[in-house]
């Protein structure tokens, strides 16, 4: 017979993303609605091992839905990679009588949750909190939409100054393994080129087109580069361009961590709220050791042991759109 869940805990782990607070809020309030006791774990798996845990009430999550970052803080925890570290974590959970865990984080955090749930009888539910949208099985991850909108706002501003000076700007956005932030923000800002890890970059063809554009005096160009593109980021692209076009007025702008912060967009608040609610339902219904995704606007429950990086899924059509619209 299915074991009843009474006490659950929630943590945020790995890279932070805007909307994590909205997800924490949804988990806490749904848990309380169903009569569960809910605990917050500070600093991810590190706080779990150190028993940095507190009881949460409805008002613990008041006024946080609009805030970036995470009230529970996040961390990377070396000890959790080891069986000894996970044993300590289990002992803390056991001592506190916690019988269900919600993990908000990226694929690394999900691997940690899987390892814990395989070794011990602790049901774990993951919520995909990552700005990169690099997890297979979900159309949305918490924070992606906000990061894209932050990049769009920044690139729009860069285009104003690029236009004033007739300059080439090479803008680097986040995305080590996945080019979605680059692709979405690049299309939405009319970038002339978008360089992403999923596609082989033909830098010579790009420089050829810049030379040709210079000939017809089209001097304002924006190239958006994902940090993980195989060419090696915006500085390297600029170096290669200048090698062949020494007189070009080219500038580099690396957007960096501003993409992780800020108030979450409506979409991120909404998906975080839906996912948080369903995470608690999963624990109650006995649908354990899955992460909650959304596909075609339906909840999708993916077993944690099949979590994988979303790779190479950007279709030719998207790239065709980039090319046609930027010509
Ligand atoms: P993200 O969750 O954003 O992908 P990380 O990859 O840094 O970030 O993972 C967050 C934390 O999850 C790690 O610091 C570690 O504590 C835990 N973790 C990641 N991978 C594993 C693994 N294979 N086994 C156990 N714990 C892991």
């Amino acid at each position: 017979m299915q074991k009843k869940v009474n006490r659950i805990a929630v943590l945020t782990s790995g890279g932070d993303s805007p909307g994590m607070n909205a997800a924490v809020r949804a988990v806490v309030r749904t848990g309380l609605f169903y009569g569960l006791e809910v605990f917050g774990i500070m600093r991810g798996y590190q706080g779990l091992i150190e028993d940095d845990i507190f009881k949460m009430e409805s008002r613990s999550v008041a006024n946080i839905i609009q805030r970036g970052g995470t009230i529970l803080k996040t961390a990377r925890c070396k000890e959790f990679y080891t069986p000894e570290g996970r044993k300590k974590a289990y002992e803390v959970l056991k001592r506190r009588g916690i019988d269900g865990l919600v993990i908000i984080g990226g694929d690394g955090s999900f691997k940690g949750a899987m390892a814990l749930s395989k070794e011990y009888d602790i049901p774990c539910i993951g919520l995909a909190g990552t700005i990169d949208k690099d997890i297979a099985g979900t159309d949305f991850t918490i924070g992606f939409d906000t990061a894209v909108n932050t990049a769009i706002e920044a690139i729009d501003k860069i285009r104003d100054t690029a236009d004033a000076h007739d300059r080439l700007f090479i803008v680097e956005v986040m995305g080590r393994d996945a080019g979605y932030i680059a692709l979405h923000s690049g299309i939405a800002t009319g970038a002339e080129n978008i360089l992403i890890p999923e596609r082989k970059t033909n830098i010579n063809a790009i420089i050829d087109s810049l030379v040709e554009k210079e000939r017809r005096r089209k001097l304002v160009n924006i190239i958006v580069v994902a940090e993980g593109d195989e060419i090696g980021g915006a500085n390297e692209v600029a170096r290669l361009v200048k090698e062949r076009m020494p007189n070009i007025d080219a500038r580099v702008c690396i957007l960096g961590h501003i993409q992780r912060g800020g108030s979450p967009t409506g979409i991120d608040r909404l998906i975080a709220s839906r996912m948080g609610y369903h995470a608690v339902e999963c624990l109650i219904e006995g649908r354990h050791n899955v992460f909650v995704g959304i596909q075609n606007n339906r909840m999708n429950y993916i077993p944690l042991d099949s979590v994988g990086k979303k790779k190479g899924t950007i279709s030719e059509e998207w790239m065709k759109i980039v090319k046609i619209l930027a010509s």
Side-chain angles (χ1 to χ4, degrees), residues 106-235:
D107 65 313
S109 302
F110 291 177
K111 282 184 196 139
M114 192 59 229
L116 181 73
S117 65
K118 273 208 166 127
E119 290 161 351
Y120 303 99
D121 185 22
I122 294 286
C124 292
I125 308 293
L127 298 186
T130 158
I131 61 166
D132 290 343
K133 198 161 82 93
D134 57 351
I135 297 178
T138 183
D139 299 336
F140 298 95
T141 61
I142 298 163
F144 171 71
D145 188 62
T146 307
V148 168
N149 278 285
T150 300
I152 289 172
E153 221 182 299
I155 299 169
D156 281 347
K157 288 178 180 167
I158 288 168
R159 191 176 281 283
D160 286 346
T161 172
D163 190 58
H165 288 272
D166 278 341
R167 265 182 191 147
L168 163 68
F169 259 92
I170 302 153
V171 184
E172 184 176 304
V173 299
M174 281 186 165
R176 221 169 290 154
D177 307 300
Y180 290 99
I181 296 179
L183 188 67
H184 287 226
S185 64
I187 291 177
T189 54
E192 277 71 14
N193 292 99
I194 302 171
L195 279 49
I196 53 174
E198 290 86 346
R199 297 274 152 183
K200 200 160 169 43
T201 297
N202 185 346
I203 192 71
N204 286 326
I206 291 171
I207 301 174
D208 287 346
S209 80
L210 287 173
V211 170
E212 191 274 321
K213 282 176 190 162
E214 193 177 45
R215 201 177 39 72
R216 57 181 163 95
R217 304 291 302 154
K218 182 190 183 317
L219 302 171
V220 183
N221 287 288
I222 307 264
I223 300 178
V224 177
V225 190
E227 63 178 325
D229 185 78
E230 90 267 4
I231 290 284
N235 281 316

